[in-house]
């Protein structure tokens, strides 16, 4: 799973978040959050892609994903963000975690969600 960008389904609340993950030997993962979905925001937003490209070149692992919903209070978007962060910092199949530290970079709606999620990220 290390060395190239991959599509990954990350479990959250009995369903999945579709993520794009670039795992590298780095203690840091940068999670890029997109603008509000109902207005066209998604993980293919050029700002999100640039964040991942820049931090990936700097040696960090990166992740972007599409929120399951952008409606209501944003609680599900916060839950999605926490699930993606947890996926990186918790061990899988007896292996070491992929990262120890999480950096959230959000654009527009993503910045609000990132700030709300920061207090819940392990």
């Amino acid at each position: 799973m290390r060395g190239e960008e991959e599509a990954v389904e990350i479990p959250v609340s009995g369903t999945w978040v579709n993520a794009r993950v670039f795992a590298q030997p780095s203690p840091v993962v940068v999670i890029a959050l997109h603008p509000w979905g109902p207005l066209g925001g998604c993980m293919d937003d050029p700002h999100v892609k640039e964040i991942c490209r820049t931090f990936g070149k700097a040696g960090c692992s990166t992740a972007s994903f599409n929120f399951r919903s952008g409606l209501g209070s944003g609680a599900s978007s916060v839950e999605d963000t926490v699930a993606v962060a947890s996926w990186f910092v918790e061990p899988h199949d007896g292996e070491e975690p992929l990262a120890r530290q999480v950096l959230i970079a959000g654009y527009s709606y993503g910045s609000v969600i990132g700030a709300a999620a920061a207090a819940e990220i392990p």
Side-chain angles (χ1 to χ4, degrees), residues 16-91:
W16 303 92
V17 168
N18 294 313
R20 193 175 297 132
V21 169
F22 181 49
Q24 301 192 82
S26 171
V28 179
V29 60
V30 177
I31 302 174
L33 305 179
H34 64 74
W36 198 42
L39 292 179
C42 69
M43 69 179 165
D44 292 321
D45 180 272
H47 298 89
V48 170
K49 286 183 154 192
E50 182 62 23
I51 289 166
C52 290
R53 186 186 70 73
T54 300
F55 280 97
K57 278 186 168 183
C60 298
S61 293
T62 63
S64 60
F65 63 94
N66 289 323
F67 297 120
R68 291 174 295 150
S69 171
L71 303 176
S73 67
S76 69
S77 297
V78 170
E79 186 179 29
D80 295 347
T81 304
V82 172
V84 172
S86 296
W87 188 85
F88 272 91
V89 299
E90 294 174 359

